[in-house]
Amino acid sequence: PVFAGMNGSAIENFSCVIYNISFMNCTWQAGRGAPEDTQYFLYWKNLRDDDVMECELYIQDENGRNTGCRFHNVSIETEKAYFMVNGSSKDSLI
């Protein structure tokens, strides 16, 4: 099933950069319509791999909201990887 979140609650400007071969930084901005208590969680996996990896070290803004992630020991073995950011809030679907 597809769950529809509240309009404007999805993250914006998501990007990831790999550097020094095995480090990856991902960043995003909170949705402009997201409630203040919204928290985001990042997961990624390689195309051919079943293991889903959650962020090991979140980057937070001044309100304690996750707005990025630092990964180390990253190995993207194929040209494709999948990323998912889940959002949660007490008040709304994100």
Side-chain angles (χ1 to χ4, degrees):
V2 174
F3 298 99
M6 190 177 87
N7 273 348
S9 65
I11 63 165
E12 300 175 12
N13 299 323
F14 179 83
S15 71
C16 293
V17 175
I18 296 174
Y19 62 98
N20 289 357
I21 300 173
S22 63
F23 294 90
M24 179 168 67
N25 277 4
C26 298
T27 57
W28 61 85
Q29 292 170 320
R32 281 172 276 189
E36 281 190 20
D37 76 324
T38 301
Q39 188 56 284
Y40 297 103
F41 303 95
L42 172 64
Y43 302 86
W44 82 281
K45 71 186 278 305
N46 278 313
L47 181 65
R48 297 195 183 98
D49 197 355
D50 286 336
D51 290 341
V52 175
M53 313 271 277
E54 186 181 356
C55 175
E56 300 158 351
L57 180 62
Y58 284 106
I59 302 163
Q60 296 187 327
D61 66 13
E62 62 277 3
N63 301 315
R65 183 182 278 175
N66 297 339
T67 56
C69 177
R70 292 189 175 97
F71 289 99
H72 56 275
N73 298 327
V74 169
S75 142
I76 294 183
E77 293 145 17
T78 64
E79 68 282 355
K80 290 191 178 167
Y82 293 106
F83 294 87
M84 179 183 74
V85 177
N86 263 351
S88 66
S89 162
K90 292 191 311 285
D91 305 321
S92 317
L93 284 174
I94 305 300

